[in-house]
């Protein structure tokens, strides 16, 4: 695998009769790129949350390719290794501070969900919590209502680290042949920022979704059995359902099968045109993972063809 240009990745042929496979994206980062360099690529999207837009950022790729590291960093992060979630929070707090001089006040809340075996669980609640429920609101079809999920008010940027620690303790992980600590669920971190201004009588709400998709894996490679096999089947099925939704959006054929599984139902607001959306495509440099790498790159190329429309600012008159 080589990176001949800043936005191009190539898979070298394994046989003399084959040609190299080339894929183009908005940006390509090699293994030496730091988390700060990667965050620079999404910082303007994150800034949109402060302006009242919905933003969704995905991490997709095979198991063990670094998706959770991209989103959260290691278990004990430092300024160099902290992931996209904590960097996003820090940037939003810096923007909030700068906007205060113009009369803006802000309230920030967060929740953290996972989809495990097609069931939605709250990563910030105890085991006795009520089952999280989803339903569509009465708006334009993009308004998702999440019931029974615990939300926390974020008072300062450092608050996020305790939430991440709680979520990591509660998230379903297990060892497989492909990864010693493999996430067995999809996770969705949601941040809601409500902004009001007494001087201008303005109010808007922005939402940031950071989505760590469980890794696709072939059962023959992961050697999963029992619970691990059941988890792998649910993961692969939900990712296939996501691919069907993406194909329907690309083809613009009418019906989009959002309700086929909990993952696509939860992600409907992120994919139906009301959100600015970006996807990280994580790949493994290992030669024995080349088949999964090619599958991921082909999926990413399909994503690049998907135009969701122009996101709208969530703005309303402020009632004092």
């Amino acid at each position: 695998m080589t990176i001949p240009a800043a936005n191009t990745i190539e898979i070298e042929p394994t046989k003399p009769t084959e040609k190299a496979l080339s894929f183009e994206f908005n940006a390509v980062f090699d293994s030496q790129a730091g988390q700060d360099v990667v965050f620079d690529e999404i910082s303007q999207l994150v800034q949109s949350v402060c302006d009242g837009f919905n933003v969704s950022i995905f991490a997709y790729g095979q198991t063990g390719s670094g998706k959770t590291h991209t989103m959260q960093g290691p278990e004990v992060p430092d300024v160099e290794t902290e992931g996209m979630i904590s960097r996003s929070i820090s940037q939003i707090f810096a923007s909030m501070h700068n906007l205060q001089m113009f009369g803006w006040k802000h309230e920030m809340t967060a929740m953290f969900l996972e989809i495990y075996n097609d069931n939605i669980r709250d990563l910030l609640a105890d085991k006795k919590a009520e089952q999280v429920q989803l339903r569509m609101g009465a708006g334009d079809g993009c308004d998702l209502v999440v019931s029974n999920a615990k939300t926390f008010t974020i008072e300062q940027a450092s608050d996020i680290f305790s939430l991440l620690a709680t979520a990591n303790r509660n998230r379903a992980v297990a060892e497989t042949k492909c990864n010693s600590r493999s996430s067995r669920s999809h996770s969705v971190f949601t941040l809601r920022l409500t902004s009001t201004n007494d001087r201008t009588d303005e109010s808007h709400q922005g939402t940031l979704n950071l989505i760590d998709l469980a890794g696709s894996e072939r059962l023959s490679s992961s050697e999963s059995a029992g619970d691990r096999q059941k988890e792998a089947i649910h993961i692969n099925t939900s990712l296939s359902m996501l691919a069907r939704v993406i194909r329907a959006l690309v083809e613009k054929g009418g019906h989009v099968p959002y309700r086929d599984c909990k993952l696509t139902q939860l992600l409907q607001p992120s994919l139906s045109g009301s959100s600015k959306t970006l996807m990280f495509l994580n790949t493994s440099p290992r030669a024995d993972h080349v088949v999964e790498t090619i599958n991921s790159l082909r999926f990413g190329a399909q994503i690049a063809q998907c135009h969701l429309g122009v996101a709208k600012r969530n703005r309303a008159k402020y009632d004092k």
Side-chain angles (χ1 to χ4, degrees), residues 221-270:
S221 298
S222 63
E223 299 182 8
S224 298
D227 288 343
R228 302 293 84 78
Q229 184 181 56
K230 179 181 178 181
E231 292 162 354
I233 291 172
H234 276 286
I235 290 169
N236 290 340
T237 299
S238 60
L239 291 174
S240 295
M241 295 298 108
L242 177 60
R244 286 181 58 189
V245 167
I246 296 300
R247 281 197 296 271
L249 291 170
V250 171
E251 294 169 0
K252 301 183 186 300
H255 173 67
V256 180
Y258 290 115
R259 295 182 179 272
D260 283 2
C261 70
K262 288 294 194 301
L263 175 64
T264 50
Q265 187 178 354
L266 183 60
L267 297 184
Q268 181 172 352
S270 302

Side-chain angles (χ1 to χ4, degrees), residues 35-54:
Q35 297 275 62
D36 57 335
V37 176
V38 177
F39 182 73
D40 282 345
E41 186 67 25
I42 69 168
S43 60
Q44 292 302 311
L45 269 182
V46 173
Q47 185 63 36
S48 297
V49 177
C50 298
D51 299 325
F53 289 92
N54 297 335

Side-chain angles (χ1 to χ4, degrees), residues 94-244:
S95 296
M96 286 165 50
H97 178 76
N98 293 333
L99 289 169
Q100 285 177 357
M101 68 179 69
F102 300 105
W104 287 98
K105 300 177 182 178
H106 306 273
E107 180 180 323
M108 185 187 298
T109 61
M111 67 178 179
F112 213 148
L113 306 176
E114 76 168 349
I115 303 171
Y116 175 74
N117 289 350
D118 208 39
N119 292 305
I120 300 178
R121 306 198 303 196
D122 189 345
L123 290 175
L124 301 180
D126 56 41
K127 294 182 179 179
K128 296 180 181 179
E130 294 184 68
Q131 179 71 39
V132 176
Q133 301 290 336
L134 301 179
R135 63 179 177 84
M136 297 308 298
D140 58 2
C142 301
D143 182 22
L144 184 72
V145 178
V146 181
S147 303
N148 303 329
K150 199 169 185 177
T151 60
F152 287 81
T153 299
I154 308 297
E155 301 285 355
Q156 54 190 357
S158 58
D159 290 346
I160 194 61
F161 293 109
S162 62
L163 296 185
L164 291 178
T166 300
N168 284 333
R169 286 194 301 270
N170 292 334
R171 190 175 180 188
V173 297
E175 181 177 0
T176 69
K177 186 74 173 179
C178 297
N179 189 0
S180 61
R181 185 174 169 80
S182 173
S183 299
R184 312 309 293 164
S185 65
H186 311 292
S187 73
V188 181
F189 172 83
T190 299
L191 177 80
R192 287 193 173 89
L193 178 65
T194 302
S195 305
T196 56
N197 193 316
D198 290 335
R199 300 179 191 173
T200 61
D201 292 341
E202 289 181 276
S203 175
H204 58 244
Q205 184 182 80
T207 301
L208 175 64
N209 291 307
L210 294 168
I211 302 137
D212 178 8
L213 297 171
S216 59
E217 59 184 58
R218 289 183 296 171
L219 294 177
S220 59
S221 298
S222 63
E223 299 182 8
S224 298
D227 288 343
R228 302 293 84 78
Q229 184 181 56
K230 179 181 178 181
E231 292 162 354
I233 291 172
H234 276 286
I235 290 169
N236 290 340
T237 299
S238 60
L239 291 174
S240 295
M241 295 298 108
L242 177 60
R244 286 181 58 189

